[in-house]
Amino acid sequence: MHKKYKLLKAGLFGIIVSTSFSACSPTMECNIESEHVHIYINNNGLTKPVDSEKEKVYNFSLGDFYWTENTIPLDSTISTMIQLDLYDIRENKEYFYDMINIYSNKRQSYTDCCVYGEHYVSVNNDPKKSNDYKWKKNNELITDYYIETKWIDIGLDEYTTDKVRDVTYTYLLYKIDEEGNFTQKYFSSLEDIEEGYNYFNPSTLVKETIGEEYYLSVKTKKKLD
């Protein structure tokens, strides 16, 4: 079985597109003549530079961002941040660390679970047929307790005879130089983050990797050789 990769959306937001729209929002008054951008903030305290004078801009993933009087000169670094919709970790520490803490490495076992809910009663006790439309037409849908085999989280020091798999998370960060050139790199922990990688995009920050299935050793609680 090959490893599976999945990009996780920040928090519970389900759309990866992050373009900002502001056409219907009123324009704020600003008398600063030098080239600059304003810092915008959303209801969760997340901040980012936006090249706009509108009262608010909308982000598909993170909702409305509101204009503030705080400004920053528009240089190459800021231009790249705006182009890639990046956020500065140093200005959004709480959000960033919350996301890292939510997605911590874990182990799962493929276990029979007692579940309450709707399911089809199988005449021949063949649950695999429950996904077949023709089969469903000739069987009764009931609400009751039933056994479902699914992946559940278990402790890393827990033993089970069921097959298991490891789910790991890496974090995509960006580094921007003075000319606005950027590099991106995945890191497996906060301790691994290299100097200068100070930027992230909430929509692509976390990547989930589902490892191959295996069985545990009774003694070591690790992969059985």
Side-chain angles (χ1 to χ4, degrees):
M1 178 180 176
H2 297 292
K3 292 183 177 180
K4 299 178 182 178
Y5 300 95
K6 180 171 63 175
L7 287 178
L8 302 178
K9 311 306 179 291
L12 299 178
F13 308 106
I15 305 175
I16 195 170
V17 180
S18 56
T19 305
S20 297
F21 292 91
S22 58
C24 298
S25 180
T27 300
M28 303 300 290
E29 182 177 348
C30 179
N31 298 318
I32 300 176
E33 296 182 358
S34 59
E35 198 169 18
H36 68 282
V37 296
H38 284 265
I39 302 300
Y40 280 65
I41 186 170
N42 73 356
N43 290 329
N44 294 322
L46 196 60
T47 66
K48 67 173 181 176
V50 178
D51 188 11
S52 174
E53 295 291 350
K54 295 292 184 178
E55 179 184 24
K56 65 180 180 180
V57 296
Y58 180 73
N59 181 288
F60 279 124
S61 299
L62 299 167
D64 288 329
F65 278 76
Y66 298 91
W67 183 94
T68 73
E69 293 182 347
N70 298 329
T71 63
I72 189 169
L74 180 59
D75 58 18
S76 298
T77 298
I78 299 302
S79 294
T80 299
M81 286 184 65
I82 294 172
Q83 178 185 355
L84 301 177
D85 194 25
L86 298 182
Y87 298 68
D88 194 323
I89 294 175
R90 296 161 294 187
E91 302 297 329
N92 297 283
K93 289 182 180 179
E94 183 175 354
Y95 177 92
F96 177 76
Y97 290 122
D98 282 348
M99 291 302 302
I100 301 301
N101 291 330
I102 289 173
Y103 298 104
S104 56
N105 296 341
K106 60 188 178 182
R107 178 177 290 163
Q108 296 180 324
S109 67
Y110 198 55
T111 304
D112 289 338
C113 302
C114 184
V115 181
Y116 183 82
E118 291 186 341
H119 66 287
Y120 285 91
V121 177
S122 173
V123 176
N124 56 7
N125 291 323
D126 186 359
K128 293 181 180 178
K129 290 185 177 180
S130 62
N131 291 323
D132 187 281
Y133 176 71
K134 294 180 180 178
W135 182 89
K136 290 179 181 179
K137 289 178 63 178
N138 299 316
N139 289 267
E140 181 183 3
L141 179 64
I142 67 171
T143 301
D144 199 355
Y145 289 98
Y146 64 99
I147 300 299
E148 178 181 303
T149 307
K150 60 182 182 179
W151 291 102
I152 64 170
D153 296 347
I154 63 171
L156 295 176
D157 58 350
E158 182 177 342
Y159 175 74
T160 176
T161 57
D162 298 320
K163 61 183 176 182
V164 300
R165 66 185 185 183
D166 294 322
V167 181
T168 58
Y169 299 95
T170 50
Y171 315 103
L172 180 62
L173 301 180
Y174 293 78
K175 182 178 182 179
I176 307 175
D177 63 22
E178 294 181 355
E179 285 73 40
N181 302 311
F182 71 92
T183 55
Q184 60 186 50
K185 187 175 181 179
Y186 280 101
F187 298 95
S188 59
S189 69
L190 291 174
E191 293 74 19
D192 293 336
I193 297 177
E194 299 173 7
E195 185 177 357
Y197 283 85
N198 298 321
Y199 308 95
F200 69 97
N201 183 315
S203 295
T204 59
L205 172 60
V206 182
K207 184 175 77 170
E208 179 184 84
T209 302
I210 299 177
E212 297 180 353
E213 299 168 8
Y214 62 94
Y215 290 91
L216 294 172
S217 164
V218 178
K219 293 182 178 180
T220 65
K221 310 294 192 302
K222 296 182 179 180
K223 186 175 182 179
L224 182 64
D225 295 327

